[in-house]
Amino acid sequence: MSRPRRSAPSRGRRPRPKASKGESYVGRRFEVEVGPVAHGGHFVARVPVGEDSRVVFVRHALPGEQVVVEITDGSAGDRFWRGDAVSVLSAAPERVVPPCPYAGPGLCGGCDFQHVSLPAQRELKATVLREQLVRLGGLSAADPLVADLVVEAVPGDVDGLRWRTRQRYATAPGGGRGMRRFRSHDVIPVDDCLIATDDAREPGAGTVAETVEVDGVEHSFEVAADGFWQVHPGAPAALVSAVMSALAPAPGESVLDLYAGVGLFSAFLGDAVGPSGRVVAVEGDPTASALSVGNVPSAEVIAGDVGTVLGRLEDGPFDLVVLDPPREGARRAVVEAVVARSPHKVAYVACDPAALARDVAIFAEHGYRLRTLRAFDLFPMTHHVEAVALLAKTDVRTTAPDRRRPEAAPR
């Protein structure tokens, strides 16, 4: 788990320059009724344009609300526009006052859902995950894995705040620290980021130590200070617990840990399969891979692009596979290389609902079906959600998801 491209969410996103497509609508305002949530922290609305209408992806809104939307990106020739709900004419019951004074139209772009109650935030994330699994993954909306999906709270935040253990700031005008506006280079001065812990560190040189305990078993990991590690303090244990529950590894089994980072899953999987088993950890980031050698000395560590390594790995079948790909997902070449190893079970750790759904559809082409699915709120106040899916080719024994109350979940 050492891939910086999987960090959530980027503060300095740089949109591509757009070619002019006719008259600009930026700054114009329309009164609209807000429709459903869309992937990416937006809500869908339509505004009239002559005898036609245009889809607008609106931030800072909620389904069913009547709002005044100001167009922030869009011209006459664009298929869709972007906008902010700058005035709420009729509020949804789930709307709350944002706890952060820097959250809102034209302000910090880091949080999408500060105006939404925490239970409603999680339901919005579940709605997006369900929609992607149906639309891109080919699942039925009536499938209990889809219909009954919930996004679970994870211990370690304070009512959705104070969970980012690492934080990168931009330099504000005048030299202070700040955050960028949404899809902009502009920096908003910020005295206190409420989703950051009081002792959140900025990425730097060297390494830091991280400790994870699951079911009474503890492992320590050396991690690059500027490398990837889950920023929510409860995330590593929650994800390890979900993966171990899904795979139920047994002594003597062989495990392929792909996109293994610094060895988080490999360490606990190694305990489970024991000295008679085998864990092979593949990671493309050379620093993370080198660190995993010391973090998990019992694993066979291979540094290199996952697709390339799988293509030249001459070993036979593996019993179990863990896939923890970057935001774009594993994609067809890697999925098919995994399938070629004939694993009984595949645990897929996903940070993007659309990428997960696309890969689930590719697995299905090869007879691997979704057996269990859990989702976790590792990034409260944002639209991001993490999921752990179990895929299996036959009706193998699976462990039921842990439905304990959040306060009793692994810490």
Side-chain angles (χ1 to χ4, degrees):
M1 301 181 75
S2 180
R3 297 176 302 286
R5 61 185 181 277
R6 283 203 54 203
S7 61
S10 174
R11 303 291 178 180
R13 182 179 178 184
R14 296 173 179 266
R16 299 175 185 174
K18 292 179 59 178
S20 175
K21 293 186 178 179
E23 178 186 7
S24 173
Y25 276 74
V26 173
R28 297 198 193 184
R29 295 188 173 191
F30 300 86
E31 185 176 324
V32 301
E33 180 176 350
V34 181
V37 64
H39 182 29
H42 322 281
F43 299 84
V44 180
R46 283 187 174 272
V47 300
V49 183
E51 297 181 356
D52 199 359
S53 65
R54 188 75 83 253
V55 169
V56 183
F57 292 108
V58 184
R59 283 169 56 82
H60 312 295
L62 276 167
E65 291 188 328
Q66 295 285 336
V67 305
V68 175
V69 58
E70 180 176 308
I71 305 304
T72 58
D73 185 7
S75 60
D78 290 324
R79 292 186 301 109
F80 63 86
W81 298 341
R82 299 179 186 274
D84 278 338
V86 294
S87 178
V88 180
L89 307 178
S90 175
E94 300 82 12
R95 179 174 284 274
V96 298
V97 176
C100 176
Y102 308 110
L107 299 176
C108 171
C111 291
D112 313 290
F113 292 157
Q114 290 232 2
H115 64 290
V116 188
S117 69
L118 266 178
Q121 288 183 34
R122 292 173 186 138
E123 179 54 29
L124 288 171
K125 297 178 187 188
T127 297
V128 170
L129 188 47
R130 293 186 200 109
E131 191 271 338
Q132 297 296 309
L133 287 168
V134 171
R135 186 171 65 88
L136 300 177
L139 276 70
S140 166
D143 187 326
L145 291 176
V146 177
D148 298 339
L149 178 68
V150 297
V151 174
E152 304 174 36
V154 173
D157 56 65
V158 182
D159 296 326
L161 304 173
R162 300 304 185 195
W163 53 266
R164 282 197 69 94
T165 55
R166 292 188 316 286
Q167 182 71 294
R168 187 188 298 275
Y169 294 95
T171 301
R177 68 184 187 181
M179 296 291 196
R180 298 189 188 277
R181 299 182 196 269
F182 182 67
R183 294 175 61 86
S184 172
H185 303 308
D186 296 342
V187 177
I188 305 297
V190 172
D191 291 330
D192 181 20
C193 175
L194 293 186
I195 64 171
T197 60
D198 293 332
D199 59 350
R201 58 178 177 79
E202 293 199 55
T207 63
V208 295
E210 301 283 357
T211 300
V212 181
E213 181 179 342
V214 176
D215 294 333
V217 177
E218 185 176 282
H219 282 282
S220 294
F221 302 89
E222 186 179 6
V223 182
D226 61 351
F228 180 82
W229 181 263
Q230 291 283 353
V231 291
H232 192 296
L239 294 176
V240 168
S241 180
V243 166
M244 297 295 286
S245 176
L247 292 179
E253 289 192 305
S254 57
V255 188
L256 192 55
D257 185 5
L258 304 177
Y259 309 96
V262 297
L264 174 65
F265 298 120
S266 291
F268 290 90
L269 289 164
D271 293 339
V273 301
S276 62
R278 181 189 183 202
V279 176
V280 177
V282 184
E283 168 57 42
D285 182 86
T287 301
S289 186
L291 289 172
S292 70
V293 173
N295 292 335
V296 195
S298 62
E300 301 169 39
V301 176
I302 303 175
D305 173 77
V306 168
T308 302
V309 171
L310 286 177
R312 59 179 169 81
L313 193 62
E314 296 181 354
D315 295 78
F318 281 81
D319 297 306
L320 308 171
V321 173
V322 178
L323 267 174
D324 184 15
R327 194 165 300 283
E328 61 265 25
R331 298 186 173 182
R332 180 171 295 276
V334 169
V335 170
E336 293 186 340
V338 167
V339 167
R341 302 286 168 176
S342 302
H344 306 311
K345 305 176 190 175
V346 178
Y348 190 125
V349 183
C351 60
D352 183 86
L356 170 64
R358 286 191 293 267
D359 287 344
V360 164
I362 299 170
F363 271 108
E365 294 174 14
H366 299 276
Y368 283 79
R369 305 295 179 183
L370 189 65
R371 302 299 182 186
T372 65
L373 178 65
R374 296 178 68 185
F376 300 94
D377 195 13
L378 305 187
F379 311 100
M381 304 296 168
T382 82
H383 73 271
H384 295 277
V385 63
E386 200 97 358
V388 177
L390 173 64
L391 297 128
K393 195 165 187 177
T394 58
D395 290 324
V396 296
R397 178 179 61 86
T398 61
T399 301
D402 184 353
R403 298 300 185 189
R404 290 178 289 174
R405 294 181 180 274
E407 60 266 25
R411 293 181 181 269

PDB file of all heavy atoms in Angstrom, residues 352-366:
ATOM      1  N   ASP A 352     -12.461   2.924  -6.290  1.00  0.00           N
ATOM      2  CA  ASP A 352     -13.280   3.612  -7.272  1.00  0.00           C
ATOM      3  C   ASP A 352     -14.425   2.697  -7.691  1.00  0.00           C
ATOM      4  O   ASP A 352     -14.181   1.607  -8.219  1.00  0.00           O
ATOM      5  CB  ASP A 352     -12.454   4.011  -8.490  1.00  0.00           C
ATOM      6  CG  ASP A 352     -13.273   4.797  -9.502  1.00  0.00           C
ATOM      7  OD1 ASP A 352     -13.366   6.026  -9.358  1.00  0.00           O
ATOM      8  OD2 ASP A 352     -13.841   4.174 -10.425  1.00  0.00           O
ATOM      9  N   PRO A 353     -15.685   3.101  -7.482  1.00  0.00           N
ATOM     10  CA  PRO A 353     -16.815   2.225  -7.811  1.00  0.00           C
ATOM     11  C   PRO A 353     -16.887   1.838  -9.283  1.00  0.00           C
ATOM     12  O   PRO A 353     -17.209   0.694  -9.608  1.00  0.00           O
ATOM     13  CB  PRO A 353     -18.033   3.068  -7.401  1.00  0.00           C
ATOM     14  CG  PRO A 353     -17.524   3.986  -6.338  1.00  0.00           C
ATOM     15  CD  PRO A 353     -16.125   4.314  -6.775  1.00  0.00           C
ATOM     16  N   ALA A 354     -16.593   2.778 -10.189  1.00  0.00           N
ATOM     17  CA  ALA A 354     -16.684   2.477 -11.616  1.00  0.00           C
ATOM     18  C   ALA A 354     -15.620   1.466 -12.022  1.00  0.00           C
ATOM     19  O   ALA A 354     -15.895   0.519 -12.782  1.00  0.00           O
ATOM     20  CB  ALA A 354     -16.546   3.751 -12.436  1.00  0.00           C
ATOM     21  N   ALA A 355     -14.388   1.634 -11.544  1.00  0.00           N
ATOM     22  CA  ALA A 355     -13.322   0.692 -11.875  1.00  0.00           C
ATOM     23  C   ALA A 355     -13.636  -0.698 -11.328  1.00  0.00           C
ATOM     24  O   ALA A 355     -13.419  -1.710 -12.006  1.00  0.00           O
ATOM     25  CB  ALA A 355     -11.994   1.201 -11.327  1.00  0.00           C
ATOM     26  N   LEU A 356     -14.146  -0.753 -10.100  1.00  0.00           N
ATOM     27  CA  LEU A 356     -14.533  -2.048  -9.532  1.00  0.00           C
ATOM     28  C   LEU A 356     -15.588  -2.714 -10.405  1.00  0.00           C
ATOM     29  O   LEU A 356     -15.480  -3.903 -10.732  1.00  0.00           O
ATOM     30  CB  LEU A 356     -15.071  -1.856  -8.116  1.00  0.00           C
ATOM     31  CG  LEU A 356     -15.736  -3.090  -7.492  1.00  0.00           C
ATOM     32  CD1 LEU A 356     -14.740  -4.219  -7.314  1.00  0.00           C
ATOM     33  CD2 LEU A 356     -16.390  -2.733  -6.158  1.00  0.00           C
ATOM     34  N   ALA A 357     -16.615  -1.961 -10.787  1.00  0.00           N
ATOM     35  CA  ALA A 357     -17.706  -2.538 -11.568  1.00  0.00           C
ATOM     36  C   ALA A 357     -17.215  -3.058 -12.918  1.00  0.00           C
ATOM     37  O   ALA A 357     -17.608  -4.146 -13.354  1.00  0.00           O
ATOM     38  CB  ALA A 357     -18.797  -1.493 -11.766  1.00  0.00           C
ATOM     39  N   ARG A 358     -16.349  -2.303 -13.574  1.00  0.00           N
ATOM     40  CA  ARG A 358     -15.818  -2.761 -14.865  1.00  0.00           C
ATOM     41  C   ARG A 358     -15.032  -4.054 -14.717  1.00  0.00           C
ATOM     42  O   ARG A 358     -15.151  -4.973 -15.531  1.00  0.00           O
ATOM     43  CB  ARG A 358     -14.951  -1.660 -15.493  1.00  0.00           C
ATOM     44  CG  ARG A 358     -15.744  -0.490 -16.057  1.00  0.00           C
ATOM     45  CD  ARG A 358     -14.856   0.422 -16.881  1.00  0.00           C
ATOM     46  NE  ARG A 358     -13.852   1.111 -16.076  1.00  0.00           N
ATOM     47  CZ  ARG A 358     -14.014   2.331 -15.551  1.00  0.00           C
ATOM     48  NH1 ARG A 358     -15.143   2.990 -15.762  1.00  0.00           N
ATOM     49  NH2 ARG A 358     -13.049   2.885 -14.855  1.00  0.00           N
ATOM     50  N   ASP A 359     -14.220  -4.132 -13.667  1.00  0.00           N
ATOM     51  CA  ASP A 359     -13.420  -5.344 -13.464  1.00  0.00           C
ATOM     52  C   ASP A 359     -14.288  -6.518 -13.038  1.00  0.00           C
ATOM     53  O   ASP A 359     -14.009  -7.673 -13.406  1.00  0.00           O
ATOM     54  CB  ASP A 359     -12.311  -5.076 -12.444  1.00  0.00           C
ATOM     55  CG  ASP A 359     -11.187  -4.210 -13.021  1.00  0.00           C
ATOM     56  OD1 ASP A 359     -11.128  -4.080 -14.258  1.00  0.00           O
ATOM     57  OD2 ASP A 359     -10.393  -3.665 -12.237  1.00  0.00           O
ATOM     58  N   VAL A 360     -15.336  -6.263 -12.258  1.00  0.00           N
ATOM     59  CA  VAL A 360     -16.272  -7.330 -11.896  1.00  0.00           C
ATOM     60  C   VAL A 360     -16.891  -7.934 -13.155  1.00  0.00           C
ATOM     61  O   VAL A 360     -17.056  -9.157 -13.266  1.00  0.00           O
ATOM     62  CB  VAL A 360     -17.367  -6.792 -10.948  1.00  0.00           C
ATOM     63  CG1 VAL A 360     -18.560  -7.750 -10.880  1.00  0.00           C
ATOM     64  CG2 VAL A 360     -16.798  -6.582  -9.546  1.00  0.00           C
ATOM     65  N   ALA A 361     -17.220  -7.089 -14.131  1.00  0.00           N
ATOM     66  CA  ALA A 361     -17.792  -7.577 -15.384  1.00  0.00           C
ATOM     67  C   ALA A 361     -16.794  -8.438 -16.153  1.00  0.00           C
ATOM     68  O   ALA A 361     -17.170  -9.462 -16.759  1.00  0.00           O
ATOM     69  CB  ALA A 361     -18.245  -6.397 -16.247  1.00  0.00           C
ATOM     70  N   ILE A 362     -15.510  -8.066 -16.122  1.00  0.00           N
ATOM     71  CA  ILE A 362     -14.493  -8.874 -16.812  1.00  0.00           C
ATOM     72  C   ILE A 362     -14.316 -10.213 -16.109  1.00  0.00           C
ATOM     73  O   ILE A 362     -14.224 -11.265 -16.762  1.00  0.00           O
ATOM     74  CB  ILE A 362     -13.159  -8.109 -16.893  1.00  0.00           C
ATOM     75  CG1 ILE A 362     -13.329  -6.812 -17.684  1.00  0.00           C
ATOM     76  CG2 ILE A 362     -12.080  -8.980 -17.548  1.00  0.00           C
ATOM     77  CD1 ILE A 362     -12.139  -5.880 -17.611  1.00  0.00           C
ATOM     78  N   PHE A 363     -14.286 -10.201 -14.787  1.00  0.00           N
ATOM     79  CA  PHE A 363     -14.206 -11.467 -14.045  1.00  0.00           C
ATOM     80  C   PHE A 363     -15.395 -12.363 -14.392  1.00  0.00           C
ATOM     81  O   PHE A 363     -15.254 -13.583 -14.534  1.00  0.00           O
ATOM     82  CB  PHE A 363     -14.161 -11.204 -12.538  1.00  0.00           C
ATOM     83  CG  PHE A 363     -12.787 -11.015 -11.973  1.00  0.00           C
ATOM     84  CD1 PHE A 363     -12.351  -9.760 -11.571  1.00  0.00           C
ATOM     85  CD2 PHE A 363     -11.924 -12.084 -11.833  1.00  0.00           C
ATOM     86  CE1 PHE A 363     -11.083  -9.578 -11.044  1.00  0.00           C
ATOM     87  CE2 PHE A 363     -10.648 -11.926 -11.303  1.00  0.00           C
ATOM     88  CZ  PHE A 363     -10.223 -10.663 -10.909  1.00  0.00           C
ATOM     89  N   ALA A 364     -16.579 -11.760 -14.524  1.00  0.00           N
ATOM     90  CA  ALA A 364     -17.780 -12.536 -14.816  1.00  0.00           C
ATOM     91  C   ALA A 364     -17.682 -13.250 -16.169  1.00  0.00           C
ATOM     92  O   ALA A 364     -18.222 -14.347 -16.345  1.00  0.00           O
ATOM     93  CB  ALA A 364     -19.012 -11.640 -14.785  1.00  0.00           C
ATOM     94  N   GLU A 365     -16.995 -12.628 -17.127  1.00  0.00           N
ATOM     95  CA  GLU A 365     -16.794 -13.267 -18.431  1.00  0.00           C
ATOM     96  C   GLU A 365     -16.066 -14.602 -18.289  1.00  0.00           C
ATOM     97  O   GLU A 365     -16.195 -15.488 -19.137  1.00  0.00           O
ATOM     98  CB  GLU A 365     -15.988 -12.349 -19.347  1.00  0.00           C
ATOM     99  CG  GLU A 365     -16.688 -11.066 -19.746  1.00  0.00           C
ATOM    100  CD  GLU A 365     -15.760 -10.154 -20.542  1.00  0.00           C
ATOM    101  OE1 GLU A 365     -14.695 -10.637 -20.991  1.00  0.00           O
ATOM    102  OE2 GLU A 365     -16.091  -8.960 -20.698  1.00  0.00           O
ATOM    103  N   HIS A 366     -15.295 -14.740 -17.209  1.00  0.00           N
ATOM    104  CA  HIS A 366     -14.499 -15.948 -16.989  1.00  0.00           C
ATOM    105  C   HIS A 366     -15.085 -16.813 -15.870  1.00  0.00           C
ATOM    106  O   HIS A 366     -14.390 -17.704 -15.354  1.00  0.00           O
ATOM    107  CB  HIS A 366     -13.057 -15.553 -16.660  1.00  0.00           C
ATOM    108  CG  HIS A 366     -12.390 -14.788 -17.770  1.00  0.00           C
ATOM    109  ND1 HIS A 366     -11.783 -15.419 -18.845  1.00  0.00           N
ATOM    110  CD2 HIS A 366     -12.282 -13.454 -17.993  1.00  0.00           C
ATOM    111  CE1 HIS A 366     -11.307 -14.494 -19.668  1.00  0.00           C
ATOM    112  NE2 HIS A 366     -11.591 -13.306 -19.179  1.00  0.00           N
TER     113      HIS A 366
END
